[in-house]
Amino acid sequence: SLEWVVWTGTEFVCGGPKGAHRSADGVGWEPWGAKVPCAVRCVTDRGWVGTSWPGQMWHSPDGKAWTKAKPLPPNGINQVTFGGAK
């Protein structure tokens, strides 16, 4: 089962408990080649952001090397949105 899917600006990357996959067109998929320790929530030119239970935040510059953020208060953050009002 898949838990997340993101567009990196050049390809789709999706994942779940059994691994991650990538696709340039959303039709043909191949293994991502890296273990993703979280559910990816956002990808920008500044990096990747993910979450894991209970409210643990993660960051990666490339989607392959992940760093766990400092602990958050109970229940932390489990969703991230990106965008701005116009």
Side-chain angles (χ1 to χ4, degrees):
S1 70
L2 299 175
E3 296 179 353
W4 53 270
V5 61
V6 292
W7 172 252
T8 68
T10 59
E11 64 187 351
F12 293 100
V13 180
C14 67
K18 296 191 180 210
H21 291 78
R22 62 196 237 170
S23 172
D25 59 10
V27 177
W29 293 85
E30 62 184 45
W32 174 241
K35 179 158 175 48
V36 179
C38 56
V40 179
R41 303 297 183 198
C42 180
V43 178
T44 72
D45 59 344
R46 295 177 62 191
W48 298 46
V49 175
T51 63
S52 62
W53 184 257
Q56 182 65 57
M57 299 297 295
W58 296 78
H59 179 265
S60 172
D62 58 7
K64 296 182 179 181
W66 289 90
T67 303
K68 188 185 286 189
K70 293 179 182 178
L72 297 169
N75 297 322
I77 299 171
N78 289 294
Q79 297 292 324
V80 175
T81 60
F82 177 77
K86 295 191 180 219

